[in-house]
Amino acid sequence: MPVDYHVHTKLCGHAEGEMEEYIAAAQRRGLQEIGFSDHIPMYFLPVEERDPSVAMREEDLPRYIQKIKDLQQKFYPWPIKIGIEADYTPGMEMRLAEILRQYDFDYVLGSIHFINGWGFDNPANIHEYKKYDLWELYQQYFYTLGQAAGSGLFDVIAHPDLIKKFGFNPGHDLGGVYREVLQQISDSGACVEINTAGLRVPKNEVYPSPEFIKLCFESKIPVCLGSDAHRPELVGADFHLVLELLRSIGYNQVVTFNKRNRNYCRI
Ligand code: ZN
Ligand code: FE
Ligand code: FE
Ligand code: ZN
């Protein structure tokens, strides 16, 4: 079992368990390393509008980093990486870059959870899908994802087709949209995350779809693995399935990171 680079902590207000329990779960599963990637503070909102059940507070970020550093020492030489799941917000690139510059992250996951301020992957906001033309919504989502890649701020594009989470289908073939966004990801040098959380939501399909992963392989885009665990027992969840899928598509390695430099681990 290789690495799990998408793991949350209870600092975000909607995950449970101690970081030590996530590490123990990773070791039990036979993972070679773990990377924590909790939600970045909601830098894109005024402080008073930030929801403590969505992401850690700004003052928790240095504590989060320090806690991982302490655990690196405690579990040495077993590798624990310092990651972050950073929301991309068009027009806020400078602000995000400023935050990212302050810490020595091993890697940065780039995510889109908001469209025009609507947290579309939050079950509490699911009723708002009704307001949208789904095909336009999908196009807007992938357009923003392309912008995220183009920003050059991210090492990994996380759960690239998160917009499918609740199973609302756009009613159009997505091949063209995928190709366009993959060109931007390829140009940016970012890799794509294979995220097993998609198997635990109504859509019941890995993020991104197998079709998208095949196009990644054709475009020689490397992939990274994540469970998006919000509970210790979900670390490495369903990795045997995605490893099988990746090998069947042709991949024989996944990405690892050290201080934002990329390495590879055979699968
Ligand atoms: Zn979360
Ligand atoms: Fe996410
Ligand atoms: Fe996440
Ligand atoms: Zn996520």
Side-chain angles (χ1 to χ4, degrees):
M1 278 286 184
V3 306
D4 188 344
Y5 273 179
H6 197 143
V7 175
H8 290 275
T9 79
K10 65 182 184 187
L11 277 175
C12 69
H14 59 273
E16 53 191 70
E18 298 302 324
M19 288 161 93
E20 286 87 343
E21 296 177 82
Y22 285 89
I23 295 166
Q27 294 184 331
R28 259 198 317 275
R29 289 228 184 207
L31 288 165
Q32 288 168 35
E33 51 179 89
I34 192 173
F36 287 101
S37 61
D38 213 353
H39 299 284
I40 200 166
M42 302 177 86
Y43 67 90
F44 44 91
L45 289 179
V47 175
E48 63 278 10
E49 288 175 29
R50 298 181 188 176
D51 183 342
S53 73
V54 170
M56 69 175 92
R57 298 171 308 162
E58 199 136 358
E59 56 269 37
D60 284 331
L61 184 53
R63 280 184 221 140
Y64 165 74
I65 307 278
Q66 189 54 49
K67 175 78 184 168
I68 303 174
K69 288 185 173 167
D70 293 346
L71 291 168
Q72 286 175 328
Q73 298 230 309
K74 183 171 171 193
F75 288 88
Y76 183 84
W78 200 81
I80 300 168
K81 297 291 165 68
I82 307 176
I84 191 94
E85 179 172 16
D87 292 85
Y88 172 74
T89 313
M92 301 283 275
E93 292 85 353
M94 299 292 278
R95 176 77 191 101
L96 176 56
E98 198 181 298
I99 300 169
L100 297 178
R101 223 179 2 250
Q102 288 171 39
Y103 304 95
D104 32 347
F105 291 109
D106 287 306
Y107 61 91
V108 177
L109 307 182
S111 295
I112 295 168
H113 304 111
F114 295 90
I115 291 174
N116 303 326
W118 167 45
F120 66 85
D121 75 322
N122 186 337
N125 301 330
I126 192 170
H127 57 278
E128 293 195 40
Y129 277 87
K130 284 200 299 283
K131 296 186 192 164
Y132 287 87
D133 175 297
L134 290 171
W135 173 228
E136 277 171 25
L137 182 65
Y138 269 68
Q139 287 174 296
Q140 186 176 0
Y141 171 82
F142 282 106
Y143 177 78
T144 312
L145 195 75
Q147 285 182 297
S151 75
L153 290 164
F154 308 113
D155 302 300
V156 182
I157 301 302
H159 43 60
D161 57 357
L162 181 63
I163 190 71
K164 73 182 176 188
K165 176 171 180 175
F166 298 111
F168 301 124
N169 294 317
H172 284 254
D173 179 69
L174 290 164
V177 172
Y178 287 171
R179 276 172 216 280
E180 207 168 308
V181 78
L182 281 166
Q183 186 62 53
Q184 287 163 295
I185 295 174
S186 175
D187 291 346
S188 79
C191 66
V192 159
E193 179 190 59
I194 311 301
N195 181 315
T196 58
L199 296 166
R200 309 191 292 271
V201 299
K203 179 67 182 177
N204 190 20
E205 178 183 82
V206 68
Y207 301 120
S209 65
E211 181 194 355
F212 192 103
I213 302 173
K214 281 179 198 142
L215 294 171
C216 288
F217 184 71
E218 284 172 20
S219 304
K220 301 189 165 56
I221 297 172
V223 292
C224 186
L225 285 182
S227 65
D228 221 333
H230 285 70
R231 299 201 307 271
E233 62 269 31
L234 290 174
V235 172
D238 294 319
F239 274 21
H240 57 289
L241 293 177
V242 294
L243 287 171
E244 231 170 83
L245 175 65
L246 286 174
R247 289 184 201 114
S248 75
I249 288 171
Y251 281 102
N252 57 19
Q253 54 187 18
V254 296
V255 171
T256 63
F257 287 99
N258 205 334
K259 305 258 186 262
R260 308 201 68 176
N261 292 312
R262 194 191 275 174
N263 254 304
Y264 297 93
C265 171
R266 289 197 70 82
I267 59 168

